[in-house]
Amino acid sequence: MHQAIADLADTAPIRDDNLGMLRARVDKASMSSLNLDNPFPINTSIKRIRLTLTDEAIEDKIDDLEGQFLAFQGRSFEDTADERVELYRDLHLDDSKLDLFRFGAVEMYGSASYANVKKDPRVSLCVSWPLPNKITQRGLQINCIAEIVPPGDPFYKYMRILLALFGVRYLDTGKAEYPCAYKLWVSEVKDKSLADTEGFVL
C-alpha cells in the first residue's frame, strides 16, 4: 500500500483530465470513528491519506516545500502539473526519510470525526485499490491511533500542502484554516481483499 500511494503521480497521471489524482482510490480512505453517546455510534467520513516524512525530515524541508508550493500560485493547474508531479515524486524518493508507521490526513470540517477523535483516538481506515494488470482489488482495514496536530505545526503545514498539491477544485469549507491534521499511527492491519473463498462452489 505504501508503494501504491508513493506511485500515485505515475499510476494516475493528472495531465489526462486533471482529475487522475482525485480518482486514485488508494488514497481515499473511509475513516470510522466512535461516539458511544450516539444511537448509531460509528461515524464514517472520507479522508485523503498520504505517506509522511519523519518529523525530523519535515522540520528540515518545510520552509523549502512551502516556497516551492507558493511558486505555483498565480499559474494555472495545467501549467504547473509537471512540477507538482515532480515535487510529489521527490518527497517519496528516500525511504529512510519516510515514517512507514503512520499516515497523515487533514481534517477539513471539524465536525463529527474531529469530535469523536478528541474523545476516543481509535479509528479504522478502510482502503481499496486495483492491482496492476489484474481485475481484482486489494482491500485493507487499518486500525490506527489518531493524534491531533494543530495549525501552525510543521506536520500540519506539510499535510496541508500535500492535500492542496493536486487540488484542482477549491473546496470552500467556510474556515480560514482547517481545524487540524491527523497523524494516524498504524496499530493493526487486516486484509479485506475480495477473493474467492476456498472450496466455494457456485
Side-chain angles (χ1 to χ4, degrees), residues 44-171:
T44 303
S45 60
I46 300 299
K47 305 294 182 190
R48 289 207 175 276
I49 59 172
R50 295 283 185 258
L51 298 180
T52 76
L53 300 177
T54 64
D55 288 338
E56 293 78 12
I58 290 174
E59 289 271 5
D60 290 341
K61 194 169 183 63
I62 191 61
D63 290 341
D64 180 56
L65 187 58
E66 287 186 315
Q68 292 180 69
F69 185 73
L70 282 174
F72 300 147
Q73 309 311 303
R75 301 158 63 195
S76 71
F77 188 89
E78 291 79 5
D79 289 344
T80 60
D82 288 334
E83 295 168 74
R84 291 168 185 263
V85 167
E86 195 62 31
L87 177 56
Y88 184 86
R89 286 179 183 147
D90 288 347
L91 290 172
H92 300 89
L93 286 178
D94 188 349
D95 285 349
S96 69
K97 293 184 179 180
L98 294 173
D99 192 327
L100 300 180
F101 294 98
R102 72 182 183 198
F103 296 100
V106 172
E107 172 56 56
M108 302 182 73
Y109 293 102
S111 52
S113 295
Y114 182 54
N116 289 356
V117 168
K118 287 197 293 185
K119 292 181 179 179
D120 187 335
R122 295 174 297 171
V123 300
S124 291
L125 305 175
C126 185
V127 295
S128 65
W129 70 99
L131 297 173
N133 304 316
K134 295 183 180 180
I135 61 172
T136 56
Q137 288 197 340
R138 186 76 194 277
L140 296 175
Q141 175 183 327
I142 307 169
N143 296 328
C144 303
I145 302 299
E147 178 184 346
I148 293 173
V149 181
D153 187 277
F155 182 88
Y156 172 93
K157 296 177 182 178
Y158 178 80
M159 288 308 306
R160 185 177 58 183
I161 289 172
L162 286 189
L163 178 67
L165 194 58
F166 298 103
V168 182
R169 296 173 181 169
Y170 177 71
L171 179 62

Side-chain angles (χ1 to χ4, degrees), residues 14-40:
I14 64 172
R15 296 175 208 73
D16 294 343
D17 57 8
N18 290 338
L19 292 173
M21 287 290 293
L22 301 180
R23 289 181 180 147
R25 296 181 61 185
V26 68
D27 69 322
K28 274 187 184 177
S30 173
M31 188 175 93
S32 297
S33 56
L34 189 66
N35 182 353
L36 293 176
D37 294 331
N38 289 336
F40 294 92

